[in-house]
């Protein structure tokens, strides 16, 4: 059965690109667009390169149901948050129960919640002297970074690691596992 996946990203979009490349040979999995809340985010360049329509939306369109309308029009089955930084409106969570998947660059419940995204997470992990970090892939519910965990993977943090080093190692885990976990969630594995 064909599945339509909407990918949301806010920044570089390296995960978005990795996911789309992973499924490029699978005719059952379709990406009608990449959605983004930043007009000039680098993910736009990646979308163009991949030949996937890029849709920018404003904060108002995010909240007033416009984006929700696009998802309905495109018959979206699953929503993938790949480095997406806005809180998902309750209306969308109710319309897609256990169909919205987020990746977080730390071992939740540690280093989650408001303000904990991207490099802020890795800086906090290094500042706290953590010996490990990792990735958490989880369903999205009404509470930020608190939905049911689907998968976690760990990576060592050494005393000399900088936040950039941790980011690099965490990204490697994301590239390896996020597409596979998505495949499992959507029944393509
Ligand atoms: C990724 O590390 C992702 O886990 C993180 O943002 C990065 C985006 O990188 N997400 C969050 O922090 C969500 N709270 P990318 O744009 O290159 O995929």
């Amino acid at each position: 059965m064909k599945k339509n996946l909407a990918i949301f990203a806010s920044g570089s979009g390296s995960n978005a690109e990795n996911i789309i490349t992973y499924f490029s040979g699978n005719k059952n999995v379709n990406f009608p667009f990449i959605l983004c809340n930043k007009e000039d985010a680098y993910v736009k360049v990646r979308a163009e390169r991949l030949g996937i329509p890029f849709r920018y939306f404003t904060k108002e369109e995010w909240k007033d149901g416009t984006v929700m309308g696009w998802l309905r029009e495109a018959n979206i089955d699953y929503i993938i948050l790949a480095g997406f930084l806005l809180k998902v409106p309750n209306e969308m969570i109710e319309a897609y129960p256990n169909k919205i998947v987020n990746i977080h660059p730390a071992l939740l419940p540690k280093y989650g919640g408001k303000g904990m995204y991207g490099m802020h997470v890795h800086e906090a992990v290094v500042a706290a002297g953590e010996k490990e970090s990792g990735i958490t892939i989880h369903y999205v519910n009404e509470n930020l970074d608190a939905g049911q965990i689907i998968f976690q993977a760990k990576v060592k943090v050494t005393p000399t690691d900088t936040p950039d080093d941790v980011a690099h190692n965490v990204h490697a885990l994301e590239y390896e596992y996020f597409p596979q976990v998505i495949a499992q969630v959507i029944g393509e594995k």
Side-chain angles (χ1 to χ4, degrees), residues 9-16 46 82-85 102-106 116-119 121-122 135 145 167 170-171 174-175:
S10 298
S12 164
S14 67
N15 276 285
R46 296 188 197 265
F84 181 65
L85 304 183
N102 180 46
I103 190 158
H104 188 80
M116 277 293 163
Y117 59 88
M119 283 308 290
V121 175
H122 309 306
I135 60 169
D145 297 330
V170 165
H171 260 127
E174 294 184 331
Y175 301 151

Side-chain angles (χ1 to χ4, degrees), residues 114-132:
K114 208 168 173 357
M116 277 293 163
Y117 59 88
M119 283 308 290
H120 297 293
V121 175
H122 309 306
E123 280 158 9
V125 164
V126 168
E130 293 286 354
K131 294 194 167 50
E132 62 181 18

Side-chain angles (χ1 to χ4, degrees), residues 1-184:
M1 215 183 76
K2 274 197 185 295
K3 286 135 195 162
N4 291 320
L5 273 59
I7 296 199
F8 285 84
S10 298
S12 164
S14 67
N15 276 285
E17 177 166 9
N18 182 53
I19 293 162
I20 289 165
T21 306
Y22 177 91
F23 286 105
S24 58
N26 187 332
K27 291 202 168 57
N28 290 336
V29 183
N30 185 33
F31 297 94
F33 36 51
I34 293 177
L35 301 125
C36 182
N37 60 313
K38 294 259 161 65
E39 210 165 1
D40 56 353
Y42 189 71
V43 67
K44 182 178 182 182
V45 176
R46 296 188 197 265
E48 275 160 15
R49 215 158 57 201
L50 291 160
I52 307 269
F54 175 85
R55 290 247 186 124
Y56 160 73
F57 56 87
T58 63
K59 214 160 197 165
E60 289 67 46
E61 288 170 324
W62 177 236
K63 289 184 174 165
D64 70 8
T66 303
V67 176
M68 194 57 218
W70 295 348
L71 300 179
R72 280 203 201 95
E73 273 165 33
N75 291 315
I76 293 301
D77 301 299
Y78 293 91
I79 296 171
I80 309 299
L81 309 183
F84 181 65
L85 304 183
L86 296 182
K87 191 168 183 312
V88 178
N90 285 347
E91 184 201 8
M92 202 174 279
I93 292 168
E94 281 156 23
Y96 289 92
N98 280 352
K99 298 270 169 63
I100 310 178
V101 177
N102 180 46
I103 190 158
H104 188 80
L107 296 170
L108 291 175
K110 285 179 129 182
Y111 304 103
K114 208 168 173 357
M116 277 293 163
Y117 59 88
M119 283 308 290
H120 297 293
V121 175
H122 309 306
E123 280 158 9
V125 164
V126 168
E130 293 286 354
K131 294 194 167 50
E132 62 181 18
S133 190
I135 60 169
T136 303
I137 299 169
H138 66 95
Y139 290 115
V140 172
N141 69 9
E142 321 61 55
N143 303 314
L144 201 57
D145 297 330
Q148 189 199 327
I149 293 174
I150 306 166
F151 176 87
Q152 289 186 307
K154 292 178 179 173
V155 67
K156 278 203 166 67
V157 178
T158 70
T160 56
D161 274 347
T162 64
D164 275 336
D165 296 328
V166 179
H168 177 84
N169 295 337
V170 165
H171 260 127
L173 287 182
E174 294 184 331
Y175 301 151
E176 182 175 358
Y177 292 111
F178 199 16
Q180 293 185 39
V181 173
I182 292 168
Q184 240 165 42

